[in-house]
Amino acid sequence: MANPSKNNIAYVRTTMLTEQAPPITAAGPVLWIRTNLFSGPFNTIATLVGLYCVYWLVGHIGPWFLYSVWNANSLAECREILNGVNAACFGVIKDRWHQLLFGFYPPEAYWRPTLAFVLMIVAMAPILFESVPRKVLWFSAIFPALAFWLLWGGTIWFSVVGMLGFGIGYAVYRALVKNMLLATIAAVLVPILFWLFLLGPISGALSEALPIGIRKIDSDEFGGFMISIIIGVTGIALSLPIGVLLALGRKSDLLLVKWICVGFIEFIRGVPLITLLFTASLLLNYFLPPGTNFDIVLRVVIMVTLFAAAYMAEVIRGGLAALPQGQYEAADALGLDYWKAHRLIIMPQALKISIPGIVNTFIGLFKDTTLVVFIGILDPIGLSNAIRADSNWNGIYWELFGFIALCFFIFCFSMSRYSQYLENKLKTDHR
Amino acid sequence: MATTSENQAGSFRLGMLIYDTRYRSMTIQVVFMFLFMAGAVWLIDNTITNLSALGKDFNFGFLDVRAGYDINQRLIEYTNDSSHGRAWAVGLLNTLLLALFSCVTATVIGVIAGVLRLSKNWIISQLMNLYVEMFRNVPVLLWIVIIFAVLTEATPAPNAFRGENPTASMLFFDTVAITNRGVYVPGPLFTQSLGAINLGVISVSINFLLISAVVIGSIYANIRLRRHASAVQEATGDRPVTWWKSLLILFAPLIAVLAALGFHLDYPTLQGFNFQGGSYMRNSFTAMWLALSVYTGAFIAENVRAGILAISKGQTEAAFALGLRPNRTMNLVILPQALRVIIPPLISQYLNITKNTSLGIAVGYMDMRSTLGGITLNQTGRELECMLLLMVTYLTASLIISGAMNVYNNSVKLKER
């Protein structure tokens, strides 16, 4: 049609067609289902197998939850209510809720660990989230002593005078700051001497003069998730700085320091935690002066911390190794000394790189707190055995295990989510 | 550090030990060494004092003394008349057996789960995600006790298999029986057994030695064959067909030896109150094996996923541009590079498995920790010696595994300049 005349054209559209929705198979849920679930024969088979798995799981676990019994005081009563239906008996968790949380801690003092837990969240908030006012960090600094006093009880002066040690160390440092070397040594030595020789007498005298205190509770009454959280959180807080020092030691030019750090790290990483815990409970009395006997929870915390610190050191060493050599050279070129270079340039970047590894170590540490059951501390798993030993609840497994697993899952999963949030927040590259 | 000190050369003052960078590191090391040695001396002195106060000495003579307890799973001959030292060896072998089994299955599970987690199929990848998160965030000890409870509480007793209408039935054409006492599987038997050679402390089955030798020889011959095929391909451009030769080399000698030895399977059958015949796997072993496999498998899945994601898409595209087919792309381009990322964390997972076998105490598995570090320790009261031996053994095992894997790691490492 080289020269179309008006007559032989039947119809010419003069307006644009209104935009139409795409075909149902090319957009929306149908497209998603087609591309993600049924894109080919293999994919279809996989989807059907997957759907069957889901159906099987839901079909078995669903009714178990749906018909579960929450109001029962023994397994027999529970089975009577269920009348042959195979379902969960969560009455055990309601019945033993306090025991699972606090172990054999005296019931009238349950407010103390609860308060300590709430305060712990407050103390951790400014460390975890930048938006929290910085002044709360002062509370974080005194929280350890406060938590110690709340959990173990006794006189408050022990905690107060213990915290004073840090103040003394700082004061000594300020007084001698002209001579950096002397100031550093004195700031470490003076508080240690203070704690070793003056802490006991001073706090004793103060509590005689002004007895402020709450009931003292021994470690063997601790148990349940409380003990897991105490050991886990203390271990997490202490293992990071020790791990950093060990990692630096392993990379150090000082041969002796290096070899001692290497030996320590490889030894700890080569043996199972359980042997270290047995060492803590069986052998520590051999290594200490006759007559010393210190708290089993403290021993466990020390061992768990050392164990996690060795793994932490390797994670941080990985971060240090991943840092380009230019960063070290740039720090040297700026004239920074070793500690300043590491504090201002190297460590912030190395720690950022190793966040996933660090949080994995934290999660591992928290999960490893369950091993204390082998040295007679009643953690949740130990308590599940104790509860089963009661004739009321003899033969109950899945409800208890499920509950414990769920609690651990919540803690560990939130830690790993937080690490992802932190990674995204600190991401500075432009990829 | 440019330290120009011409006028000071020769004159040495005490302050230079601290303020001169040439001497400072020396000073720090000497002080550190003194502190370290003082600490060590303090610990040893305390130990000696405490031991003498308790009237104990430090010697390993107890290893030759009669143990007097039974071990329910043993790979080498052991009775309660054997020595504590032999009980230690039995435990060590049980530890290694469990570690070996768990490493193999954990790798298989981990690789499958890791690849499936990257699947384009949404349901499959979410299911694998669920598996990984569920196992990674719950303590392994809990999984061990849960699986042990499943095996002992949720499986039928042997007498459920009895009668006209049994409530339970055996699996896989009546060859495997899962009962609350353990798992019974078919066991190998030889009609023309060659016996065993006694090597003083242990006796080794000649059948086993012969079969291992044949298998290793076949694998070696197959490697030679493939190398030859590659050489021919390099020279002529055509790769000779090898698959049937490979099959022949790998399986014909093995089948011939098994036939000559009169190999047959011994199936478990219900006799009396329990199953007889076949091989018996204790619940403690099965629970540890399954728990360590699925738990570590979840970690390995994450390593595998990370390894595959670390290979840039450009590698696949480049391989396709060279005209490689998808399976050869995977074998020749993607996998060799991904393995380099996967293997170092895989080594530490194997080490974790080996160390986690010590959790066998929770289900009564008689590993090294339960024999040497458990019953022997309690019977002899020699905590120091037992724990020391235990730690040294674990440490040696760990160092050997990491050493062997590092050799392999170095052989696949990217060769730079």
Side-chain angles (χ1 to χ4, degrees):
Chain A
M1 290 196 230
N3 189 12
S5 61
K6 208 174 180 183
N7 302 342
N8 52 15
I9 296 171
Y11 171 73
V12 170
R13 181 181 292 282
T14 50
T15 54
M16 289 291 280
L17 270 173
T18 51
E19 198 174 289
Q20 285 197 334
I24 195 157
T25 51
V30 177
L31 175 75
W32 185 88
I33 288 174
R34 274 173 71 119
T35 48
N36 285 304
L37 299 179
F38 300 103
S39 65
F42 281 110
N43 214 345
T44 308
I45 293 170
T47 305
L48 293 179
V49 170
L51 280 177
Y52 180 74
C53 288
V54 173
Y55 166 76
W56 190 86
L57 283 174
V58 172
H60 276 76
I61 300 173
W64 194 73
F65 275 106
L66 206 62
Y67 304 117
S68 58
V69 174
W70 283 88
N71 292 311
N73 291 320
S74 73
L75 193 59
E77 193 188 330
C78 202
R79 294 220 167 111
E80 211 169 281
I81 297 171
L82 283 172
N83 198 10
V85 180
N86 184 16
C89 181
F90 288 117
V92 64
I93 290 163
K94 204 173 162 188
D95 189 34
R96 299 301 181 101
W97 169 254
H98 283 130
Q99 206 179 16
L100 281 167
L101 291 190
F102 304 112
F104 294 102
Y105 208 75
E108 70 276 8
Y110 281 163
W111 63 272
R112 280 155 56 173
T114 315
L115 180 63
F117 185 73
V118 173
L119 291 180
M120 182 185 85
I121 294 173
V122 175
M124 274 180 1
I127 301 168
L128 297 182
F129 301 104
E130 257 180 25
S131 51
V132 178
R134 295 293 87 192
K135 278 186 183 144
V136 187
L137 275 173
W138 286 104
F139 177 71
S140 311
I142 60 159
F143 171 73
L146 188 62
F148 176 80
W149 179 63
L150 275 176
L151 291 171
W152 273 271
T155 167
I156 196 172
W157 294 112
F158 190 77
S159 296
V160 171
V161 180
M163 285 311 277
L164 207 62
F166 289 104
I168 291 175
Y170 183 69
V172 169
Y173 180 80
R174 293 300 301 209
L176 296 171
V177 77
K178 290 261 172 55
N179 188 338
M180 273 299 277
L181 190 77
L182 193 66
T184 315
I185 293 173
V188 174
L189 269 186
V190 172
I192 290 178
L193 292 175
F194 173 78
W195 286 320
L196 278 181
F197 298 108
L198 291 175
L199 174 57
I202 292 182
S203 62
L206 276 171
S207 57
E208 293 255 316
L210 200 65
I212 306 175
I214 46 181
R215 192 185 140 195
K216 198 168 165 54
I217 293 166
D218 284 330
S219 292
D220 50 4
E221 292 176 73
F222 284 41
F225 278 102
M226 188 177 103
I227 198 82
S228 298
I229 294 174
I230 292 174
I231 297 173
V233 170
T234 324
I236 285 172
L238 294 178
S239 65
L240 185 60
I242 300 177
V244 168
L245 287 183
L246 281 173
L248 289 180
R250 193 169 180 164
K251 276 182 74 83
S252 162
D253 295 332
L254 310 173
L255 267 187
L256 197 79
V257 177
K258 181 180 167 179
W259 285 114
I260 289 172
C261 287
V262 170
F264 178 82
I265 292 171
E266 293 303 325
F267 169 73
I268 297 268
R269 275 162 37 96
V271 299
L273 175 60
I274 190 167
T275 59
L276 292 176
L277 290 177
F278 271 98
T279 308
S281 81
L282 293 173
L283 297 185
L284 218 58
N285 280 344
Y286 284 113
F287 298 136
L288 296 173
T292 26
N293 187 17
F294 67 97
D295 196 81
I296 184 75
V297 172
L298 185 60
R299 297 184 193 192
V300 169
V301 166
I302 291 175
M303 280 301 172
V304 168
T305 306
L306 290 182
F307 187 76
Y311 283 84
M312 192 68 71
E314 287 299 276
V315 168
I316 292 167
R317 187 166 74 107
L320 287 172
L323 216 56
Q325 194 60 36
Q327 297 291 328
Y328 292 89
E329 286 160 7
D332 281 346
L334 287 176
L336 298 176
D337 68 10
Y338 181 83
W339 292 109
K340 270 198 182 132
H342 276 86
R343 193 160 54 85
L344 299 173
I345 305 213
I346 310 297
M347 267 304 153
Q349 300 185 66
L351 287 180
K352 192 179 91 181
I353 297 173
S354 29
I355 285 173
I358 291 175
V359 177
N360 273 344
T361 316
F362 285 165
I363 292 176
L365 185 153
F366 190 67
K367 287 188 297 179
D368 280 344
T369 57
T370 52
L371 300 198
V372 298
V373 63
F374 295 127
I375 54 170
I377 294 179
L378 283 175
D379 80 320
I381 292 180
L383 278 172
S384 79
N385 295 330
I387 291 172
R388 228 178 355 263
D390 183 343
S391 61
N392 279 343
W393 295 110
N394 195 355
I396 196 148
Y397 286 94
W398 322 117
E399 294 83 355
L400 281 175
F401 287 154
F403 174 72
I404 298 168
L406 181 72
C407 290
F408 271 103
F409 184 86
I410 290 170
F411 278 115
C412 298
F413 193 67
S414 37
M415 273 196 255
S416 72
R417 285 290 125 157
Y418 176 75
S419 105
Q420 285 174 10
Y421 154 81
L422 197 62
E423 257 179 276
N424 279 332
K425 198 180 80 175
L426 297 179
K427 195 184 261 175
T428 47
D429 56 359
H430 302 289
R431 268 180 291 160
Chain B
M1 301 283 169
T3 349
T4 50
S5 47
E6 289 143 28
N7 52 346
Q8 284 172 6
S11 70
F12 178 79
R13 284 166 294 109
L14 214 55
M16 285 166 72
L17 281 180
I18 292 173
Y19 295 110
D20 192 320
T21 45
R22 285 173 300 178
Y23 304 116
R24 188 194 275 167
S25 73
M26 227 40 195
T27 320
I28 294 175
Q29 292 201 64
V30 168
V31 170
F32 199 79
M33 192 177 76
F34 271 108
L35 286 177
F36 181 71
M37 284 171 67
V41 166
W42 183 71
L43 285 180
I44 292 170
D45 180 59
N46 281 335
T47 312
I48 293 171
T49 323
N50 284 319
L51 279 176
S52 63
L54 288 169
K56 286 183 177 177
D57 57 348
F58 184 80
N59 77 57
F60 291 97
F62 72 95
L63 287 177
D64 292 326
V65 177
R66 178 178 179 273
Y69 61 90
D70 285 311
I71 299 177
N72 55 22
Q73 179 189 315
R74 44 193 183 266
L75 294 179
I76 57 174
E77 210 165 300
Y78 173 87
T79 63
N80 55 18
D81 278 331
S82 307
S83 65
H84 282 299
R86 202 171 173 86
W88 169 32
V90 173
L92 175 62
L93 285 176
N94 284 347
T95 295
L96 294 178
L97 179 80
L98 178 58
L100 187 72
F101 269 65
S102 307
C103 284
V104 172
T105 39
T107 314
V108 173
I109 294 173
V111 169
I112 293 174
V115 171
L116 287 184
R117 213 183 156 185
L118 290 171
S119 157
K120 286 200 186 76
N121 189 305
W122 185 80
I123 287 188
I124 295 289
S125 65
Q126 287 307 306
L127 275 176
M128 287 304 137
N129 205 351
L130 179 74
Y131 158 70
V132 168
E133 294 298 346
M134 207 169 82
F135 278 88
R136 265 167 27 118
N137 289 313
V138 173
V140 62
L141 182 61
L142 197 56
W143 285 119
I144 292 172
V145 290
I146 288 176
I147 291 178
F148 186 71
V150 169
L151 288 176
T152 50
E153 299 296 320
T155 51
N159 64 12
F161 292 81
R162 188 190 308 281
E164 286 295 309
N165 295 307
T167 48
S169 58
M170 293 169 77
L171 303 175
F172 303 118
F173 309 109
D174 277 0
T175 56
V176 176
I178 299 173
T179 74
N180 60 359
R181 295 191 195 173
V183 179
Y184 296 84
V185 294
L189 271 190
F190 302 97
T191 43
Q192 281 129 350
S193 179
L194 297 172
I197 37 171
N198 206 344
L199 294 173
V201 278
I202 51 168
S203 57
V204 184
S205 156
I206 299 180
N207 302 323
F208 174 73
L209 285 182
L210 188 64
I211 292 170
S212 320
V214 166
V215 168
I216 293 170
S218 307
I219 291 172
Y220 177 70
N222 189 40
I223 291 172
R224 290 293 300 265
L225 176 75
R226 292 181 68 102
R227 258 192 218 149
H228 174 72
S230 299
V232 171
Q233 187 180 18
E234 294 278 321
T236 65
D238 288 321
R239 191 175 179 86
V241 180
T242 56
W243 63 267
W244 60 272
K245 288 184 201 160
S246 280
L247 282 181
L248 209 61
I249 290 176
L250 284 178
F251 293 103
L254 183 67
I255 291 168
V257 167
L258 287 179
L261 290 172
F263 173 83
H264 60 276
L265 287 175
D266 179 26
Y267 298 107
T269 49
L270 192 61
Q271 279 169 17
F273 293 110
N274 208 342
F275 279 90
Q276 302 290 325
S279 296
Y280 169 45
M281 285 172 24
R282 278 169 198 287
N283 275 338
S284 52
F285 177 81
T286 322
M288 287 298 293
W289 179 27
L290 287 180
L292 289 181
S293 304
V294 287
Y295 177 79
T296 318
F299 286 85
I300 294 179
E302 280 299 272
N303 296 338
V304 168
R305 190 176 79 113
I308 294 175
L309 286 180
I311 308 306
S312 72
K313 201 162 163 20
Q315 296 285 331
T316 318
E317 288 164 355
F320 285 160
L322 287 175
L324 290 179
R325 277 169 279 128
N327 62 337
R328 287 187 77 76
T329 306
M330 196 44 140
N331 285 336
L332 298 174
V333 180
I334 307 297
L335 267 187
Q337 299 185 73
L339 273 184
R340 211 174 284 139
V341 185
I342 294 169
I343 281 173
L346 198 63
I347 299 172
S348 56
Q349 292 306 335
Y350 288 166
L351 287 174
N352 281 344
I353 286 183
T354 314
K355 285 179 285 177
N356 280 340
T357 55
S358 60
L359 298 182
I361 182 182
V363 293
Y365 182 67
M366 293 302 275
D367 70 332
M368 181 168 56
R369 213 223 59 81
S370 300
T371 60
L372 178 76
I375 304 175
T376 296
L377 185 149
N378 288 334
Q379 282 192 1
T380 58
R382 296 196 171 272
E383 297 99 350
L384 209 56
E385 293 91 335
C386 283
M387 293 310 289
L388 197 66
L389 271 184
L390 199 61
M391 285 185 167
V392 168
T393 323
Y394 275 118
L395 202 54
T396 319
S398 297
L399 289 180
I400 289 174
I401 294 173
S402 68
M405 296 308 272
N406 276 336
V407 169
Y408 176 71
N409 192 22
N410 280 336
S411 71
V412 297
K413 203 168 69 178
L414 195 63
K415 309 273 189 305
E416 284 179 285
R417 263 191 293 148

